[in-house]
C-alpha cells in the first residue's frame, strides 16, 4: 500500500476506534467545487472483523463504517455506520450536550459556530446545522449532521458545503424591505400549472417565483438548488430546414471515473475544469442540431438549448421546450456529446415522467387576475437576507430572498399552502 494512503487509513482507524474493523476496500474519486477547484476524496469501507464475506455485493453489512476524507485538506467529509450500528471503541458522545457537540464539530471541521454554521435541529442524539455567514444563511447551502446511539457511539456524521472564508465574502449591512420592491415582487408572480396528486387534477395557480435581490437593488440572481459555475448559458432556439433521419444508437455512459493514486497525490486538475472554448461551443451546438434532426425530426424550433458544460469527460447539453413556461414540471432533454468527435452519444428525455399528468383532470377556467392574486398572498410573502454566490464576481454577496409558501388558485382565488399540494 502506498505510504501516504497507509498514513490516511491508519489515522482513520485510530481516530474512530476501528480496532474491531478491517479495511475491506477503498476508492478515490474527484469533483470540482464551486470555485472550479479539484478536490480528491478517499472513500473507505471498513467491515467489522466478525464479518468475513459480503453476502450481497450491492449492500454493505450492518455495522460497516463508510468513511470519506478530503485528501486535499485532510478533513473528514462523512462517517456513516450502516444500519446505525457501531462496533467502534474509544469515542463516545454519551451525556454530551449541545455545547460539547458544537466544540467537537468545530475541532473536526475548522469552522466557527454561528459564524460559519448554525443549529437548525436539536433532537435526542440528532443534531443538524446549516451553513451561514455571521448567522445569515448561504446559497447554495451547506449542511452538517451528527447522530449517535444510546451508548453514545457515533453513527452518522457528514459535512456538505463550501463554508467560504472572509476573503470570499463581500460583507454589507442589510438594507432591503418588501415595501421598496413591490413592483419587482409582482413581476415574480407567475401563472403555473401544478399537479395535485391526491386528487389527480391539474391546478392553474399564481405562484411566486423565488429570486434573490442584491442588497444594492441593482440586480437579481435566479434561485437555483444546485449552482454549477461551469454551465455556459446559450439560450438558443434549435431549428433546421432539412431532416437527417437515421438509426441512432446509444453509447453506454460510465458515470464513475477511475481515479488513480498517482492522480490523487499529484493533485491532477479535473478534466472538467477546462473551460469550453468558443469553437467547442459551436461544434457542440452543431452536434445538438444534428441529433435533433435525427431523433426529433418534427420538433424544429420547439427546443431551446439552455446550457453547455463538461461532465465526466463528455459535454452535456441541456434543453427545454420553450412553449411550456407555465408548467410546474417542464419538458427537459439532456444530450451527451463526445468531447473528441463532437457527436451525440446518448440522451435523456423526461417525457415519460410527464406522461402521468396527461391522465390528470384539466384545470378549471381562470377567474382572477395577477393583481387580485397578489393581494391574496401579499402578507404571506417573505424577504430574508442570504449570502449568495455570484458566479460572475466569484464571490458571496448579500441579497434578499423573495419567497412565498402559498399559491393562489386561479379558478377560485383560494390561497393554498405548497405543503398541501
Amino acid at each position: 500500500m502506498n505510504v501516504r494512503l497507509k498514513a490516511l487509513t491508519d489515522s482513520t482507524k485510530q481516530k474512530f476506534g476501528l480496532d474491531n474493523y478491517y479495511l475491506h476496500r477503498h476508492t478515490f474519486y474527484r469533483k470540482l467545487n464551486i470555485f472550479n477547484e479539484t478536490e480528491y476524496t478517499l472513500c473507505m469501507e471498513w467491515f467489522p472483523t466478525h464479518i468475513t464475506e459480503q453476502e450481497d455485493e450491492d449492500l454493505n453489512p450492518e455495522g460497516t463504517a463508510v468513511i470519506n476524507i478530503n485528501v486535499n485538506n485532510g478533513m473528514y467529509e462523512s462517517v456513516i455506520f450502516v444500519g446505525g450500528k457501531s462496533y467502534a471503541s474509544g469515542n463516545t458522545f454519551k451525556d454530551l450536550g449541545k455545547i460539547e457537540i458544537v466544540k467537537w464539530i468545530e475541532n473536526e471541521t475548522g469552522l466557527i459556530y454561528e459564524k460559519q454554521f448554525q443549529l437548525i435541529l436539536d433532537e435526542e442524539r440528532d443534531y443538524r446545522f446549516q451553513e451561514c455567514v455571521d448567522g445569515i444563511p448561504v446559497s447554495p447551502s451547506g449542511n452538517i449532521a451528527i447522530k449517535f446511539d444510546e451508548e453514545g457511539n457515533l453513527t452518522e456524521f457528514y459535512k456538505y458545503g463550501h463554508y467560504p472564508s472572509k476573503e470570499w465574502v463581500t460583507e454589507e449591512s442589510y438594507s432591503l424591505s418588501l415595501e421598496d420592491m413591490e413592483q419587482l415582487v409582482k413581476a415574480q408572480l407567475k401563472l403555473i400549472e401544478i399537479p395535485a396528486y391526491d386528487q389527480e387534477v391539474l391546478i392553474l395557480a399564481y405562484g411566486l417565483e423565488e429570486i434573490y435581490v442584491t442588497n444594492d437593488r441593482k440586480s437579481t440572481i435566479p434561485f437555483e438548488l444546485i449552482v454549477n459555475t461551469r454551465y455556459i448559458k446559450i439560450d438558443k432556439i434549435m431549428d433546421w430546414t432539412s431532416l437527417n433521419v437515421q438509426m441512432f444508437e446509444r453509447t453506454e455512459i460510465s458515470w464513475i471515473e477511475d481515479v488513480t493514486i498517482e492522480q490523487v497525490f499529484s493533485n491532477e486538475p479535473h478534466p472538467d475544469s477546462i473551460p469550453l472554448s468558443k469553437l467547442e461551443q459551436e461544434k457542440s451546438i452543431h452536434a445538438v442540431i444534428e441529433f435533433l434532426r435525427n431523433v426529433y425530426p418534427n420538433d424544429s424550433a420547439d427546443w431551446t438549448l439552455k446550457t453547455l458544460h463538461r461532465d465526466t469527460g463528455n459535454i452535456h447539453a441541456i434543453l427545454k421546450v420553450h412553449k411550456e413556461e407555465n408548467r410546474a414540471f417542464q419538458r427537459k432533454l439532456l444530450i451527451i456529446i463526445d468531447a473528441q468527435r463532437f457527436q451525440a452519444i446518448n440522451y435523456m428525455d423526461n417525457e415519460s415522467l410527464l406522461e402521468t399528468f396527461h391522465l390528470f383532470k384539466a384545470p378549471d377556467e381562470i377567474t382572477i387576475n395577477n393583481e387580485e392574486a397578489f393581494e391574496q398572498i401579499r402578507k404571506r410573502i417573505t424577504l430574508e437576507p442570504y449570502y449568495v454566490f455570484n458566479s460572475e464576481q466569484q464571490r458571496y454577496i448579500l441579497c434578499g430572498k423573495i419567497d412565498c409558501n402559498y399559491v393562489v388558485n386561479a379558478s377560485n382565488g383560494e390561497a393554498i399552502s405548497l405543503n398541501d399540494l
Side-chain angles (χ1 to χ4, degrees):
M1 182 182 287
N2 177 280
V3 174
R4 294 178 67 179
L5 173 59
K6 189 175 187 306
L8 289 172
T9 58
D10 286 350
S11 62
T12 299
K13 184 171 185 175
Q14 180 181 7
K15 181 178 184 62
F16 294 102
L18 303 178
D19 295 330
N20 298 321
Y21 285 79
Y22 66 95
L23 184 61
H24 177 65
R25 60 173 162 248
H26 70 275
T27 53
F28 289 103
Y29 64 89
R30 60 184 174 183
K31 63 181 182 293
L32 289 171
N33 63 23
I34 201 170
F35 305 111
N36 208 37
E37 299 167 337
T38 304
E39 294 183 350
Y40 283 92
T41 299
L42 168 63
C43 177
M44 296 165 278
E45 296 173 58
W46 298 81
F47 277 18
T49 51
H50 66 269
I51 296 175
T52 57
E53 60 182 31
Q54 189 173 0
E55 295 182 3
D56 188 336
E57 284 295 322
D58 295 326
L59 296 173
N60 281 324
E62 183 181 72
T64 299
V66 182
I67 302 176
N68 288 356
I69 184 172
N70 185 309
V71 179
N72 301 69
N73 58 27
M75 295 289 185
Y76 289 92
E77 297 178 342
S78 63
V79 181
I80 308 294
F81 286 86
V82 176
K85 178 66 176 177
S86 171
Y87 297 99
S89 60
N91 291 314
T92 179
F93 292 87
K94 194 170 185 178
D95 301 324
L96 296 187
K98 186 187 78 172
I99 295 176
E100 291 84 1
I101 296 296
V102 166
K103 281 294 181 186
W104 185 88
I105 292 174
E106 286 184 326
N107 290 333
E108 287 301 313
T109 63
L111 302 174
I112 302 172
Y113 183 58
E114 294 186 335
K115 291 291 184 181
Q116 294 170 287
F117 69 103
Q118 58 190 351
L119 185 69
I120 57 173
L121 175 69
D122 179 358
E123 294 184 348
E124 188 177 9
R125 304 187 303 277
D126 186 359
Y127 294 83
R128 308 281 162 151
F129 301 85
Q130 176 182 265
E131 182 180 356
C132 71
V133 171
D134 293 332
I136 296 176
V138 172
S139 179
S141 182
N143 299 96
I144 298 173
I146 181 169
K147 294 175 70 173
F148 43 93
D149 61 23
E150 293 181 356
E151 287 72 42
N153 298 308
L154 180 68
T155 57
E156 179 181 309
F157 166 73
Y158 65 79
K159 178 180 78 74
Y160 171 80
H162 300 96
Y163 304 89
S165 57
K166 292 291 185 182
E167 64 187 78
W168 294 103
V169 179
T170 301
E171 296 185 85
E172 301 178 65
S173 296
Y174 186 68
S175 62
L176 298 177
S177 67
L178 280 172
E179 290 74 18
D180 298 333
M181 297 183 289
E182 185 167 306
Q183 292 307 313
L184 188 150
V185 175
K186 284 183 178 180
Q188 290 303 115
L189 196 63
K190 306 293 176 63
L191 187 64
I192 55 174
E193 192 177 81
I194 303 174
Y197 293 95
D198 56 341
Q199 305 169 44
E200 294 191 350
V201 299
L202 294 173
I203 298 172
L204 272 176
Y206 291 96
L208 199 71
E209 188 175 4
E210 300 150 298
I211 196 169
Y212 296 104
V213 182
T214 58
N215 196 46
D216 60 10
R217 299 177 181 83
K218 292 182 179 179
S219 60
T220 60
I221 301 175
F223 172 80
E224 295 176 296
L225 288 175
I226 300 175
V227 175
N228 191 325
T229 57
R230 294 177 288 113
Y231 282 41
I232 299 173
K233 292 183 180 180
I234 304 297
D235 283 330
K236 180 179 175 64
I237 294 175
M238 299 286 95
D239 56 3
W240 53 91
T241 56
S242 61
L243 305 184
N244 181 29
V245 181
Q246 54 184 294
M247 183 67 68
F248 179 83
E249 294 186 11
R250 278 185 162 102
T251 300
E252 186 175 348
I253 304 296
S254 175
W255 300 98
I256 301 175
E257 183 186 20
D258 291 326
V259 178
T260 67
I261 197 166
E262 290 77 20
Q263 290 172 315
V264 174
F265 292 118
S266 66
N267 199 25
E268 177 185 285
H270 198 299
D272 292 346
S273 64
I274 303 171
L276 282 171
S277 67
K278 287 292 184 182
L279 179 59
E280 289 173 317
Q281 293 176 43
E282 291 172 6
K283 289 183 176 181
S284 297
I285 293 171
H286 178 74
V288 168
I289 292 176
E290 288 302 298
F291 168 84
L292 292 172
R293 288 174 61 210
N294 182 3
V295 183
Y296 296 80
N298 300 318
D299 288 3
S300 179
D302 287 348
W303 292 97
T304 296
L305 175 59
K306 302 299 291 185
T307 60
L308 292 170
H309 71 278
R310 295 189 192 274
D311 193 299
T312 325
N314 295 311
I315 298 171
H316 285 198
I318 298 176
L319 298 89
K320 291 183 180 180
V321 172
H322 61 267
K323 296 178 182 179
E324 297 184 338
E325 294 180 354
N326 67 334
R327 295 287 176 89
F329 300 97
Q330 295 188 357
R331 177 91 178 276
K332 295 180 182 180
L333 181 63
L334 166 65
I335 302 174
I336 302 172
I337 301 167
D338 183 290
Q340 304 300 320
R341 298 182 291 121
F342 289 95
Q343 292 181 356
I345 54 177
N346 211 322
Y347 68 99
M348 296 180 187
D349 189 338
N350 71 345
E351 182 180 28
S352 60
L353 296 175
L354 301 181
E355 285 177 351
T356 305
F357 303 136
H358 295 167
L359 303 175
F360 282 30
K361 181 183 175 182
D364 295 330
E365 291 186 9
I366 298 173
T367 63
I368 66 169
N369 59 33
N370 191 288
E371 190 72 29
E372 293 168 323
F374 178 77
E375 292 303 321
Q376 273 287 78
I377 60 170
R378 176 194 288 269
K379 294 182 180 179
R380 294 184 166 115
I381 298 171
T382 59
L383 176 67
E384 298 179 352
Y386 269 78
Y387 274 102
V388 182
F389 183 76
N390 185 302
S391 56
E392 294 181 1
Q393 298 182 23
Q394 288 287 294
R395 296 183 64 78
Y396 288 83
I397 62 174
L398 187 59
C399 297
K401 180 185 179 183
I402 299 174
D403 197 6
C404 184
N405 197 41
Y406 282 78
V407 296
V408 177
N409 190 319
S411 65
N412 58 23
E414 178 187 359
I416 310 169
S417 171
L418 291 174
N419 298 327
D420 296 334
L421 292 175

